[in-house]
Amino acid sequence: MQTDRTDVDTLFHNLWENYCRVTPSAERIHRLLDNSQGKAIVNDHIALRTFNIDKLNLDKLAAHFLALGYEQGGEYHFDAKKLYARHYEHPDPTVPKVFISELLVEQCSDALQSIVHQLVDNVSPSVVNQSDFLYSGRHWNLDYATYQTLLEESEYAAWTAAWGYRPNHFTVSVNHLSQFRTLAEVNQRLKDEGFRLNTSGGEIKGSPQDLLEQSSTMADRANVAFSDQTVSIPSCFYEFALRYPKPDGELYSGFVAASADKIFESTDSKG
Ligand code: NI
């Protein structure tokens, strides 16, 4: 099919700029790993978070990517965290994959449901279709106490309420790095430079048998202007992925639910 590469590149450029504004460590890590001879860092995937309320659910976010020629990939269930996710990939394998999750709001407490519905009621349905929606931030007022109430029940709900629509992480494709062959080498370099890794489920999630190994930093912290005060809270993190070939020789392009489950914890404020 016709690959509208310019539109894809523009979207990811805008997503990256938005992400770096609250994730200063990503640019430092980018420079640290990109010491090759002009071989640019390849982005394996980004991840987006939302609530499963019709107005702005997973499908509404995915529509932006389907319009760019993406196709639906696998689906993933995270029962304990009350999340559902799908990944999307483009026929052009050099275009980043997209992992979109949504909180299953109706499975949460009445208090959480009531808060989230109030937030979402403030969103005009038309903004969800606008081309900049995926990096448009928060579309509701939120005070710090409400953020903390959400945080007690669901770190995911609190993060999404505070940050709104923006990439939760970008992901370095370790397969495309020239100076690092394994995830352990990448992790060691990051630790040597003082970066803190997510150790939930071990530093490396997944295995060659899973066809995907992943690691990630713990999220940076950045100021959020709540309606009553500005507070520094976990923002976004950087992920690293090493993919292995399937029997047909093509690199595995899916995700591993057990690993993604632990990666979600990279934005844990207690982490
Ligand atoms: Ni990821």
Side-chain angles (χ1 to χ4, degrees):
M1 71 172 286
Q2 179 77 33
T3 299
D4 211 339
R5 192 59 204 250
T6 310
D7 289 348
V8 170
D9 289 345
T10 301
L11 173 62
F12 278 92
H13 172 79
N14 290 330
L15 289 164
W16 174 256
E17 297 246 295
N18 173 278
Y19 164 77
C20 287
R21 242 174 271 147
V22 297
T23 323
S25 69
E27 283 186 302
R28 283 176 54 213
I29 292 170
H30 208 271
R31 283 194 296 274
L32 195 67
L33 300 180
D34 187 17
N35 51 3
S36 53
Q37 296 75 36
K39 205 173 155 197
I41 299 267
V42 171
N43 178 24
D44 181 87
H45 69 270
I46 63 160
L48 299 165
R49 294 178 173 185
T50 191
F51 302 109
N52 74 335
I53 295 173
D54 288 352
K55 198 192 282 181
L56 36 64
N57 64 11
L58 190 164
D59 285 325
K60 294 292 193 303
L61 272 57
H64 290 267
F65 296 98
L66 295 175
L68 292 170
Y70 275 78
E71 292 160 7
Q72 188 180 318
E75 59 173 5
Y76 312 91
H77 297 272
F78 307 94
D79 295 341
K81 291 184 172 69
K82 303 183 169 71
L83 302 175
Y84 169 74
R86 276 195 226 124
H87 93 261
Y88 292 83
E89 55 186 82
H90 198 277
D92 178 345
T94 66
V95 171
K97 289 171 271 299
V98 178
F99 183 91
I100 309 176
S101 55
E102 61 183 8
L103 180 69
L104 305 174
V105 176
E106 74 283 358
Q107 294 184 13
C108 301
S109 72
D110 289 348
L112 184 146
Q113 291 188 42
S114 158
I115 291 169
V116 170
H117 278 281
Q118 279 176 44
L119 299 179
V120 172
D121 282 349
N122 285 299
V123 181
S124 155
S126 63
V127 306
V128 180
N129 305 321
Q130 286 170 7
S131 60
D132 66 351
F133 179 69
L134 299 174
Y135 48 95
S136 60
R138 203 171 83 208
H139 293 267
W140 42 71
N141 285 320
L142 179 71
D143 60 65
Y144 186 54
T146 303
Y147 167 77
Q148 287 182 305
T149 300
L150 293 173
L151 191 57
E152 279 170 28
E153 178 169 344
S154 165
E155 186 282 325
Y156 183 104
W159 189 95
T160 307
W163 290 110
Y165 295 89
R166 57 176 65 242
N168 167 265
H169 60 269
F170 272 69
T171 310
V172 173
S173 169
V174 176
N175 297 76
H176 292 88
L177 293 177
S178 53
Q179 315 251 339
F180 301 86
R181 301 228 321 281
T182 68
L183 211 47
E185 289 173 30
V186 172
N187 288 348
Q188 190 57 53
R189 185 68 203 277
L190 295 170
K191 287 188 287 182
D192 289 347
E193 295 290 328
F195 290 101
R196 214 155 59 89
L197 299 180
N198 173 344
T199 57
S200 178
E203 277 180 6
I204 297 177
K205 290 101 171 100
S207 67
Q209 291 72 39
D210 293 320
L211 304 182
L212 173 61
E213 291 179 308
Q214 292 164 276
S215 64
S216 67
T217 60
M218 288 305 287
D220 283 353
R221 296 180 82 90
N223 283 339
V224 166
F226 292 98
S227 51
D228 54 338
Q229 56 184 305
T230 295
V231 184
S232 174
I233 65 166
S235 54
C236 306
F237 59 90
Y238 215 167
E239 186 184 313
F240 313 92
L242 180 62
R243 293 182 180 276
Y244 290 84
K246 296 177 294 182
D248 67 5
E250 298 284 319
L251 287 181
Y252 176 63
S253 62
F255 291 81
V256 177
S259 303
D261 186 68
K262 302 300 182 194
I263 295 275
F264 278 120
E265 294 168 22
S266 306
T267 51
D268 250 331
S269 45
K270 300 172 204 80

